[in-house]
Amino acid sequence: MKVAASYAGTDPGKKRRRNEDSYVIAPPLFAVADGMGGAQAGEVASGLAAAALEESGANGGGERRVIELIQEANRRVHERATTDATTAGMGTTITAALVEPDGRVVFGHVGDSRAYLLRDNTLEQLTDDHTLVAELVRRGELSPGEAEVHPQRSVITRALGTDPDVDVDTFAIDARPGDLYLICSDGLSSMVDASDIEEILRRNRTDLAAASKALIQAANRGGGEDNITAVLFAVDEGPATEPDERTREFALPTQDEEDTLHPEDGVAPPPPASPAPNAVDTMVVPAAEIDAALAAHEEQQAPQAGIGRRLLALLVILALVAIIVVLVWWGLAR
Ligand code: MG
């Protein structure tokens, strides 16, 4: 089994000035990292993690090797975050895939960047999100639909850089000829339904550049609220050592050409993107603190409930006053 083609596309989206996503496209190793932190720290975190993987020159080694790579990436991000005050508190997700010489694809995963597989024209999500809302869905306290619109949907329960050690999920897929794998940041998966991702991959499965571009365009049309990164790789029969000439790498221009307005169209160009007031920033809450985080969230909601109750009481009083006025008027009129 070999990597027959691969491609990476990334775009800041419509609401963010910076692109804090990073990716690795170093066959047989692929990854997406989605950084977080103030100022430029998110870019630093995801960039350090991606560089750590890229430098490894990984080729084989299975789950153990993938865990080693991610632990090393974590060590580098954490060390920088604890020694450089400008990056304190930064972190990053990582979802990595290593295509093994034995035909398995080994994944390592921390955070909410996702891996998908298109096999026989059906899309399957391979990773479980390490998020507060995903945890609540697993506990049966939230429906998947509620999770999609939950105000705390960007709270992740695991990230690289926040602790000296990190718990890495790993699993392996027995690759089949024709498999198409997608690793993406939440800027894609939160803006485009899985059924639409499936449709786009089906239509463009022989042209990964077109697939990547179509995914990013769909995410921007869906709102483009976050940075969008899509890494694609296709697996096919053949010796793993065969040189891979079709592998390419490309970052899309910052603006979606077909959505860009030019002065000659008679319309003023859009103002430079600034952070959306309602864009949700990713933050980390360790799984052990989920209940505390949730209690804090409910407290935030409580004043609103209080206002609702006070409003109801006021309406009841007004209704009583109106009834008394009507009764008195009726009594006088007789
Ligand atoms: Mg993101």
Side-chain angles (χ1 to χ4, degrees), residues 275-328:
N278 58 347
V280 197
D281 273 319
T282 303
M283 57 174 288
V284 193
V285 171
E289 289 166 26
I290 283 177
D291 291 320
L294 225 67
H297 173 60
E298 268 152 29
E299 251 166 51
Q300 276 175 16
Q301 304 283 307
Q304 284 175 23
I307 288 166
R309 266 197 300 274
R310 259 172 274 161
L311 198 65
L312 188 68
L314 189 67
L315 284 172
V316 168
I317 290 168
L318 282 175
L320 284 173
V321 168
I323 288 167
I324 290 165
V325 166
V326 167
L327 285 174
V328 169

Side-chain angles (χ1 to χ4, degrees), residues 21 34 185-187 226-227 282:
D21 288 356
D34 178 350
S185 58
D186 66 330
D226 194 2
N227 307 144
T282 303

Side-chain angles (χ1 to χ4, degrees), residues 141-297:
E141 290 176 27
L142 218 59
S143 76
E146 288 168 333
E148 270 176 35
V149 295
H150 196 280
Q152 288 184 307
R153 61 190 180 277
S154 286
V155 175
I156 58 177
T157 52
R158 267 192 246 177
L160 301 196
T162 53
D163 290 289
D165 276 303
V166 66
D167 188 13
V168 183
D169 278 4
T170 56
F171 58 91
I173 301 285
D174 287 320
R176 285 197 212 151
D179 277 357
L180 176 56
Y181 296 86
L182 164 67
I183 309 176
C184 66
S185 58
D186 66 330
L188 176 67
S189 52
S190 64
M191 293 286 129
V192 187
D193 285 345
S195 60
D196 292 331
I197 294 177
E198 181 182 273
E199 175 62 28
I200 289 168
L201 293 182
R202 275 187 195 181
R203 250 188 296 130
N204 298 283
R205 64 176 312 146
T206 57
D207 184 349
L208 301 191
S212 170
K213 192 164 182 181
L215 289 171
I216 287 171
Q217 278 175 343
N220 275 323
R221 287 203 189 97
E225 297 217 348
D226 194 2
N227 307 144
I228 309 148
T229 300
V231 165
L232 288 159
F233 60 96
V235 169
D236 223 331
E237 256 156 341
T241 51
E242 194 172 291
D244 176 13
E245 286 179 27
R246 278 178 291 169
T247 294
R248 287 179 296 167
E249 171 183 348
F250 178 66
L252 287 180
T254 48
Q255 287 277 342
D256 206 345
E257 297 105 82
E258 73 181 63
D259 290 334
T260 304
L261 299 172
H262 293 287
E264 53 265 34
D265 296 330
V267 187
S274 56
N278 58 347
V280 197
D281 273 319
T282 303
M283 57 174 288
V284 193
V285 171
E289 289 166 26
I290 283 177
D291 291 320
L294 225 67
H297 173 60

